[in-house]
Amino acid sequence: MTVAPRRQPTLEEVAERAGVSRSVASLALNNAPHVSTAKREAVERAVRQLGYVPNPTARALATRQTGAAALVVSGEDPSIFADPFFAQVIVGASTALEDADLHLMLCLAASDRGRKRVEELLRSKGADGVLLMALREGDPLAGMAEEAEMPVVFGGRPVGVAPQWYVDVDNVGGAREATEYLISRGRTRVAAICGRLDTEAGRARYRGYRDALLGAGLDPLPPQEGDFTEPSGAAATAVLLKQHPDLDGIIAANDNMAAGALRTLRAAGRAVPADIAVVGFDDLTVAQVADPPLTTVHQPITALGREMARMLVAVINGHDPTPLILPTRLVTRSSA
């Protein structure tokens, strides 16, 4: 009687035995540096128990180097890459990647189709690593990144997720310093135009504003949410003027919204800064050319992109860098 050859165990069975995802099992078998010791040992134990033998061809494919890194932005409009903020991030990232002989790919992931392409990129190892930005609360990209078969570095901390590698700026400290500056100039009725409150940057900058007011014995106003665009800043300011006619200061979570605030205040006949002082965040070109020029919180945007890329290269090369928080500083101009 012919005995059927014993079926070889699959990678999926190894992953199930080890209590990890298939992608983590694959990373562990290919000696990827970004796998915890406990998960690596669990996979090795499952391999011994099951007698799993990796497919040489699959191993060769899994360990190949593509020579590229992807910058993935969770946004809906391709023109987002022309936004001065993201343009500076791209400059910083591309310079650092060029030093490491890695090409930069740009990916937009907002629609189902866009997220599907990014998911395929992460699962197929279509790049040596990913820089991931502009995530909102509950964004499925965060989960995809956790299961990715390549290192992922976050630009800014996503809400509700604790990534292993990220670069961020001191959003709380910057907003606190800006608010404290207005208080020191005698402003007592200060409002905050927040970025989206499903982003960590939007929430953190409101926290900084609130902490400064509470520390001075003043009452913070409820957040007036915008979406980081000039029109949203203009609309939010119109609401604030109606709700709080005694307003004497505005902190906007970015320069675009601060520029919108200036437009609405001008139309309403409010003098800046005599009646209402305005402070932005970012220190983009719009802050310098605004009328009046904006007092704003400078964040090192080019350095953000550069340090994200450097961190990614370090992980690709087998290191385990610690998260990095970049400092901010207040730049005073005529608006406050």
Side-chain angles (χ1 to χ4, degrees):
M1 182 177 67
T2 302
V3 178
R6 180 175 177 270
R7 184 181 68 83
Q8 290 295 321
T10 65
L11 181 59
E12 287 76 8
E13 290 169 334
V14 170
E16 183 178 0
R17 176 69 65 91
V20 300
S21 67
R22 183 187 186 282
S23 61
V24 169
S26 176
L27 288 170
L29 289 172
N30 289 295
N31 296 316
H34 45 291
V35 178
S36 70
T37 300
K39 290 181 179 179
R40 190 184 304 277
E41 290 176 350
V43 171
E44 291 172 352
R45 187 163 52 250
V47 166
R48 291 193 300 270
Q49 292 172 349
L50 293 173
Y52 175 75
V53 179
N55 181 300
T57 301
R59 178 182 289 273
L61 289 172
T63 57
R64 75 186 188 277
Q65 297 291 304
T66 67
L71 173 61
V72 177
V73 175
S74 183
E76 300 175 357
D77 185 354
S79 66
I80 194 171
F81 289 118
D83 181 283
F85 177 88
F86 286 104
Q88 289 186 42
V89 169
I90 291 169
V91 168
S94 60
T95 300
L97 292 174
E98 184 176 336
D99 290 341
D101 293 324
L102 289 170
H103 299 293
L104 178 63
M105 302 188 302
L106 302 179
C107 302
L108 194 65
S111 65
D112 290 340
R113 183 177 180 183
R115 281 190 290 269
K116 184 66 175 178
R117 287 198 301 267
V118 172
E119 185 176 9
E120 291 172 355
L121 171 75
L122 293 170
R123 288 182 173 175
S124 67
K125 295 195 68 174
D128 293 334
V130 169
L131 306 171
L132 191 54
M133 298 193 72
L135 294 191
R136 299 175 184 172
E137 186 175 17
D139 195 316
L141 283 179
M144 294 180 196
E146 193 173 51
E147 297 294 321
E149 298 194 19
M150 66 182 74
V152 177
V153 171
F154 287 75
R157 286 162 288 186
V159 175
V161 179
Q164 186 170 358
W165 302 295
Y166 64 83
V167 180
D168 205 349
V169 300
D170 185 7
N171 290 302
V172 173
R176 183 192 302 117
E177 182 182 12
T179 309
E180 289 172 346
Y181 176 75
L182 287 185
I183 295 170
S184 73
R185 307 286 286 183
R187 310 293 169 155
T188 60
R189 290 291 289 169
V190 180
I193 301 177
C194 303
R196 297 183 60 104
L197 291 174
D198 58 359
T199 66
E200 179 58 26
R203 294 183 181 186
R205 292 174 192 179
Y206 181 73
R207 288 199 301 272
Y209 151 85
R210 182 196 60 200
D211 291 350
L213 285 172
L214 291 175
L218 299 172
D219 294 327
L221 298 177
Q224 187 65 45
E225 188 173 359
D227 63 3
F228 295 111
T229 64
E230 193 270 355
S232 75
T237 302
V239 173
L240 287 172
L241 290 177
K242 183 177 181 179
Q243 294 179 344
H244 310 286
D246 58 343
L247 200 67
D248 62 8
I250 292 176
I251 299 289
N254 79 340
D255 290 340
N256 291 331
M257 293 193 297
L262 292 178
R263 176 161 62 88
T264 294
L265 292 173
R266 187 181 305 111
R270 300 292 187 95
V272 177
D275 298 330
I276 300 179
V278 178
V279 179
F281 203 114
D282 283 343
D283 198 19
L284 298 173
T285 301
V286 65
Q288 302 171 37
V289 302
D291 182 21
L294 276 170
T295 291
T296 187
V297 178
H298 174 88
Q299 63 165 318
I301 304 171
T302 302
L304 174 67
R306 182 176 64 247
E307 295 304 325
M308 287 170 58
R310 286 178 175 174
M311 184 174 290
L312 182 63
V313 170
V315 178
I316 291 172
N317 290 334
H319 302 290
D320 185 16
T322 57
L324 180 62
I325 303 295
L326 300 175
T328 59
R329 58 182 172 85
L330 187 67
V331 177
T332 57
R333 297 191 178 97
S334 304
S335 70

